Amino acid sequence: MEQVATHYLWWIVALLLIGGEVILPGYFMLWIGIAAAAMGVVLLLVPDMGALAQALVFAVFAFLSCFAYWKLVRPRLDRIPPGNERLNRRGEQLIGQRYILCEPILNGRGKAKVGDGAWLVTGPDLPLGAMVEVVGIDGTTLRVVKAVDVG
């Protein structure tokens, strides 16, 4: 073990922790990995540090890095700009929209033209060409009702 400088071992631990973060994302191991990397830098500067001192300094670094994440980084990540709540959930963006049936709804199932494609719809039986309004979504199937003319 003495052939390998101790700071390299801390950097290996840091890489393992950060690699573990890639496999099991959750932000926790990333910050502990950053603390291990910082410990490697400290040992590069102070190579004669004892094992107990290393453990204590690492614990302080780990606490500080997790605290920095919790108080500084996480609040920024939690802020969602208005209007982006459904950014990657296209089906939910269609709720409240009106579309024309490109296949009649028979036995509760049909298709509506949405943009340049057709989406499966469920709802009351309606003829081809009827105007429907999306009221919900089940997976990739839109729940629709007959659109009521407001005028």
Side-chain angles (χ1 to χ4, degrees):
M1 194 67 111
E2 292 183 20
Q3 297 101 343
V4 178
T6 310
H7 63 274
Y8 287 129
L9 295 176
W10 280 104
W11 289 336
I12 290 170
V13 168
L15 287 173
L16 290 173
L17 286 167
I18 293 170
E21 181 68 37
V22 171
I23 295 169
L24 302 168
Y27 293 112
F28 182 72
M29 288 188 286
L30 171 68
W31 298 97
I32 303 297
I34 290 171
M39 191 64 226
V41 171
V42 168
L43 279 179
L44 188 62
L45 301 173
V46 186
D48 295 332
M49 186 180 285
L52 180 60
Q54 288 180 39
L56 290 174
V57 171
F58 173 68
V60 169
F61 282 167
F63 176 79
L64 290 175
S65 65
C66 289
F67 184 78
Y69 162 71
W70 191 259
K71 292 296 182 181
L72 302 174
V73 177
R74 185 174 177 172
R76 291 180 186 217
L77 294 175
D78 286 342
R79 284 189 227 140
I80 298 174
N84 286 343
E85 297 88 3
R86 299 178 179 161
L87 180 62
N88 291 322
R89 299 185 300 204
R90 182 163 181 230
E92 290 183 20
Q93 294 175 7
L94 301 177
I95 294 174
Q97 301 295 316
R98 293 179 174 206
Y99 301 102
I100 296 175
L101 292 178
C102 60
E103 284 184 19
I105 299 178
L106 299 172
N107 298 321
R109 296 184 59 89
K111 287 188 179 178
K113 182 157 180 61
V114 178
D116 62 350
W119 282 58
L120 290 173
V121 296
T122 59
D125 288 357
L126 293 169
L128 176 68
M131 179 72 70
V132 293
E133 182 174 337
V134 180
V135 294
I137 184 160
D138 294 317
T140 58
T141 303
L142 303 176
R143 282 185 280 128
V144 297
V145 296
K146 182 174 168 79
V148 179
D149 291 329
V150 179

